[in-house]
Amino acid sequence: MDSLVTGLLALADPSLVVLLIAATLGGVIIGALPGLNATTGAALLLPFTITMEPVAAIAVLTAIYCSATFAGAITAILINTPGTSASATTCLDGFPLAQKGEAGRALGLAVVASTIGGVCSVIVLMLAAPLLARAAYSFAPPEYFALTLFGLSMLATIGGGSPIKNILAGCLGILVSTIGIDLMTGVERFTFDMSVLSDGIGFVPVMIGVFGISEMLVQISNSQERLERIKLKAIKLPSRADYIKVWKTILRSTGIGTFIGILPAEGATVASMIGYNEARRWSKTPEEFGKGAIEGIAGSEAANNSATGGAMVPTLALGIPGSPTAAVILAGLMVHGLRPGPTMFTEQSDFAFSIFWSMMFVNLLFLGVGLYGAKIFARVTLVPVQILWPCVFIFSIVGAYALDQSMMDVWVALGSGVLGYFMRRYGFSVVPLAIGLILGEILEQRFGQSMVMLKEQWWLLPTRPLTLFFLVLTFLALFGKPIWNRIKQLRA
Amino acid sequence: MDSDLKQNIRGATPETWLVPLVILIFCGFTYWLTTEFARMPPILKRGIQPSDFPQLLIALMVGLTALIVWKDPIRVSERIQNPTLKAFGIIGVFVLLVQLDFFFALAVSCLGLTLLWKKRDWYTFLIVGFFVPIGVFFLFDQVFEVRFPRGFLTNLWYG
């Protein structure tokens, strides 16, 4: 309770409030720019936060996360191009409604649904994260190992891509995390006798590379595409009739989004897809979907924004990222010497609650920004790509260098960017690579500690009930769908 | 032969085989590297040898690569587009020019990237090739106190 109040008092610091306002506006611009999303934005801005106080740094990153996730709807509605992948389903009804001359109404609905989803998910975060952390406090290394394995297994379904390729990318990320001195034994691995590699490969340059530089390389291929723009006269709050029609959809999608967000690695994109599909399934007029149904916009937007709060639950309570952007935030926590996990709620609970209140503040702030500023922010889509992407390149390179003032980080960022481009080209998602890199060290440490604890008898792992529970979840995450499909085939 | 595999062989493109081959070569090379790691005596090894975990991962990656060929082959019909190839060239130019000066390399690379989007306005060149690199340099130098590698341009400031 004390931490709840102390955390709120952090917002009494005017410099933090100014930073949050700036980060929210920056996040809205990032989200509104097609091609840039919350993950890329957070990865690019992470080096800027290095010199900040930990509370300010993480609050800035979460502000970008929340506001960029919302702002993807602006371009989705006005130019039929989702600013972020989480807004892809908003295009389906947002753009048709805008074509009917109701862009303001569509944006108004998106803002209100996003705010409700975001605020509710932060409340869930405040309640669930400390409880989950308390439960995890009793975890021994085998339980942590199995939990981390479960978190990694969820990568299989990330981004709707091929599960096999996703796991392979995750394994590559974990393998990269083994570069450097082995903390358990002090032995150098994959260092080629280079002292710069002794500390391993930093995850920030890799993230800048795979999210920033590889995106630029992908965007160059799409440089010929032309976009249709819709003029926005004024943004409108939803009418009473609109509220009556969509309130159930907003609440349902908020629940779905928060739950999906809590699942390790599953983020706003999956949440918005499920939220949209459920909105259509429960609708009395499903035939209107795809032609400008307001329930479609509300279902998608409430779900993707509520996933942001949900994703922070496992990130802070267990140290397992709940989404790709949460992985960048986790990297930010580690850069500041903070170790997310159960101890965060016993030793640094004031810090944790400051972050929660900051997220609440940002969610309320973009209600105002969305309602009164959407017309202005819609204009950022007019920023020429010829200026935007070279700027992304400069910030990627300088950001990677600035972290440790090391050229090695620049080469790592460039190498990761090229690798990321080829991975995407051949159907491998880059998100598992980044998350594998972050979780790899923890996974190996816990595995090693478990082996010490169990006297190298790994087959004893499933004899511990909680470990068995997480291992079963891992098995289901990896093989549940193929087994279910096989059963259905056999029945048919 | 398995029907999935037969179908994959029929619809194969060079990448269908090339990408798994590259992954397997990478796995073979990294496995060889792991055999060079120092081994700990039993009393110091703390559960596992330093090479055990990477070897476990490499074995898993080999298995998954085989699964890709069998169940989920790589099929890319379109070639890498010209602008993307040129962008790789620009990255190469950046790597070379960085030996002269970090910010000179950045400015030249950004001008090159702007050209890839077929923009040839003098004001875009001025923004991307001059104002943005200068602005970023002073932002990081003055606000974040980052010291950049010396070169013929940065020496003008650092003296």
Side-chain angles (χ1 to χ4, degrees):
Chain A
M1 194 65 189
D2 285 350
S3 301
L4 198 71
V5 178
T6 319
L8 181 60
L9 287 176
L11 287 177
D13 178 1
S15 63
L16 180 63
V17 173
V18 171
L19 258 179
L20 283 175
I21 293 171
T24 305
L25 298 178
V28 172
I29 292 171
I30 287 167
L33 285 165
L36 284 182
N37 56 30
T39 313
T40 314
L44 286 177
L45 292 173
L46 183 53
F48 288 87
T49 64
I50 303 295
T51 52
M52 294 178 189
E53 289 293 313
V55 171
I58 304 306
V60 162
L61 291 175
T62 49
I64 289 164
Y65 183 18
C66 296
S67 52
T69 305
F70 146 71
I74 296 176
T75 43
I77 290 167
L78 296 179
I79 60 172
N80 200 24
T81 302
T84 63
S85 57
S87 304
T89 44
T90 309
C91 286
L92 300 176
D93 286 287
F95 189 66
L97 197 62
Q99 280 179 314
K100 289 177 190 169
E102 295 190 75
R105 184 175 166 225
L107 269 170
L109 259 163
V111 173
V112 171
S114 294
T115 305
I116 295 173
V119 167
C120 290
S121 76
V122 175
I123 295 170
V124 172
L125 172 65
M126 285 179 169
L127 297 170
L131 289 176
L132 190 61
R134 201 176 300 164
Y137 207 71
S138 56
F139 287 6
E143 280 78 36
Y144 256 117
F145 166 70
L147 175 67
T148 313
L149 207 60
F150 168 58
L152 285 165
S153 70
M154 293 300 284
L155 294 174
T157 51
I158 210 160
S162 148
I164 304 169
K165 289 174 186 163
N166 283 346
I167 299 169
L168 186 55
C171 286
L172 179 64
I174 302 171
L175 190 64
V176 173
S177 78
T178 63
I179 295 173
I181 293 176
D182 176 24
L183 293 176
M184 298 276 284
T185 57
V187 169
E188 289 202 358
R189 298 185 295 188
F190 304 118
T191 57
F192 304 98
D193 293 326
M194 290 161 74
S195 58
V196 280
L197 288 176
S198 297
D199 288 337
I201 298 279
F203 28 72
V204 179
V206 174
M207 285 189 177
I208 288 175
V210 296
F211 294 126
I213 296 174
S214 78
E215 184 64 44
M216 181 196 76
L217 291 167
V218 170
Q219 291 295 328
I220 286 173
S221 316
N222 307 331
S223 58
Q224 309 306 322
E225 283 177 17
R226 294 215 160 267
L227 304 168
E228 185 189 345
R229 281 168 210 281
I230 299 233
K231 278 193 179 167
L232 176 67
K233 287 177 191 135
I235 196 160
K236 282 182 194 166
L237 273 172
S239 64
R240 198 179 144 83
D242 287 340
Y243 279 122
I244 291 170
K245 195 170 181 186
V246 299
W247 72 271
K248 279 185 192 166
T249 305
I250 292 177
L251 290 183
R252 191 185 311 110
S253 284
T254 299
I256 291 168
T258 309
F259 176 72
I260 298 288
I262 291 173
L263 293 177
E266 300 291 355
T269 308
V270 178
S272 66
M273 284 174 187
I274 299 176
Y276 181 84
N277 282 337
E278 287 305 301
R280 185 169 52 188
R281 207 164 65 87
W282 287 82
S283 173
K284 287 174 186 161
T285 52
E287 68 283 356
E288 281 179 20
F289 276 67
K291 298 172 191 162
I294 56 171
E295 291 156 290
I297 300 168
S300 166
E301 283 303 306
N304 68 28
N305 265 75
S306 54
T308 57
M312 293 303 287
V313 174
T315 308
L316 292 173
L318 304 171
I320 309 261
S323 71
T325 320
V328 180
I329 296 171
L330 189 63
L333 285 162
M334 289 172 167
V335 166
H336 281 277
L338 299 161
R339 178 62 82 173
T343 50
M344 180 157 273
F345 292 88
T346 50
E347 290 161 17
Q348 290 155 324
S349 57
D350 292 353
F351 169 83
F353 278 93
S354 302
I355 300 303
F356 298 164
W357 282 115
S358 300
M359 285 181 77
M360 180 72 87
F361 176 71
V362 169
N363 275 294
L364 293 170
L365 190 65
F366 70 60
L367 177 68
V369 171
L371 288 177
Y372 298 104
K375 202 174 169 182
I376 302 161
F377 287 111
R379 297 193 69 80
V380 302
T381 61
L382 300 174
V383 170
V385 286
Q386 301 90 341
I387 293 176
L388 173 69
W389 289 105
C391 288
V392 168
F393 182 72
I394 287 194
F395 277 104
S396 300
I397 299 294
V398 177
Y401 174 80
L403 205 67
D404 282 329
Q405 303 188 23
S406 156
M407 282 308 288
M408 185 68 196
D409 287 343
V410 174
W411 308 137
V412 168
L414 280 174
S416 310
V418 174
L419 174 71
Y421 170 79
F422 281 105
M423 285 178 68
R424 287 159 151 214
R425 177 174 162 79
Y426 297 124
F428 295 84
S429 170
V430 293
V431 177
L433 174 77
I435 296 183
L437 180 61
I438 289 183
L439 292 183
E441 191 186 317
I442 304 168
L443 187 75
E444 187 182 6
Q445 268 183 31
R446 304 297 188 203
F447 181 62
Q449 288 164 349
S450 304
M451 288 302 100
V452 173
M453 223 177 121
L454 301 173
K455 297 189 175 71
E456 296 180 36
Q457 294 167 311
W458 60 265
W459 54 91
L460 292 180
L461 275 170
T463 57
R464 301 171 66 92
L466 254 177
T467 310
L468 178 66
F469 173 70
F470 288 127
L471 288 176
V472 169
L473 286 182
T474 307
F475 180 82
L476 289 176
L478 291 174
F479 305 108
K481 201 175 170 193
I483 291 173
W484 179 243
N485 287 344
R486 189 79 190 155
I487 291 170
K488 274 204 293 191
Q489 263 180 1
L490 288 173
R491 274 189 189 164
Chain B
M1 201 187 283
D2 182 82
S3 62
D4 283 355
L5 193 59
K6 267 186 197 166
Q7 207 178 345
N8 295 344
I9 291 170
R10 246 179 267 138
T13 60
E15 281 97 339
T16 309
W17 308 110
L18 192 65
V19 175
L21 186 69
V22 169
I23 298 171
L24 289 177
I25 291 170
F26 169 79
C27 288
F29 176 65
T30 44
Y31 187 86
W32 171 75
L33 287 175
T34 61
T35 59
E36 304 286 301
F37 294 166
R39 290 191 74 76
M40 303 303 289
I43 195 146
L44 291 175
K45 76 172 185 174
R46 309 276 320 268
I48 51 172
Q49 287 288 354
S51 57
D52 288 352
F53 190 72
Q55 285 177 351
L56 193 71
L57 282 170
I58 293 164
L60 190 59
M61 285 171 74
V62 170
L64 288 166
T65 308
L67 264 180
I68 284 177
V69 176
W70 180 31
K71 286 284 177 196
D72 196 3
I74 290 157
R75 284 208 182 94
V76 182
S77 51
E78 59 182 42
R79 302 188 73 80
I80 297 178
Q81 291 184 13
N82 223 7
T84 313
L85 289 173
K86 285 177 183 166
F88 289 135
I90 289 168
I91 290 176
V93 169
F94 170 79
V95 173
L96 292 175
L97 288 182
V98 115
Q99 312 304 324
L100 295 175
D101 187 273
F102 188 71
F103 273 89
F104 176 68
L106 273 178
V108 171
S109 313
C110 287
L111 283 176
L113 289 172
T114 308
L115 283 171
L116 287 186
W117 267 282
K118 297 185 174 56
K119 192 79 177 173
R120 290 186 172 87
D121 303 327
W122 65 269
Y123 58 87
T124 308
F125 286 163
L126 204 63
I127 292 171
V128 172
F130 186 75
F131 288 117
V132 174
I134 293 257
V136 169
F137 175 78
F138 283 112
L139 175 73
F140 277 85
D141 185 75
Q142 296 293 300
V143 180
F144 300 113
E145 295 175 358
V146 172
R147 214 169 159 80
F148 289 100
R150 281 180 174 271
F152 72 91
L153 280 179
T154 33
N155 277 350
L156 295 176
W157 177 253
Y158 291 137

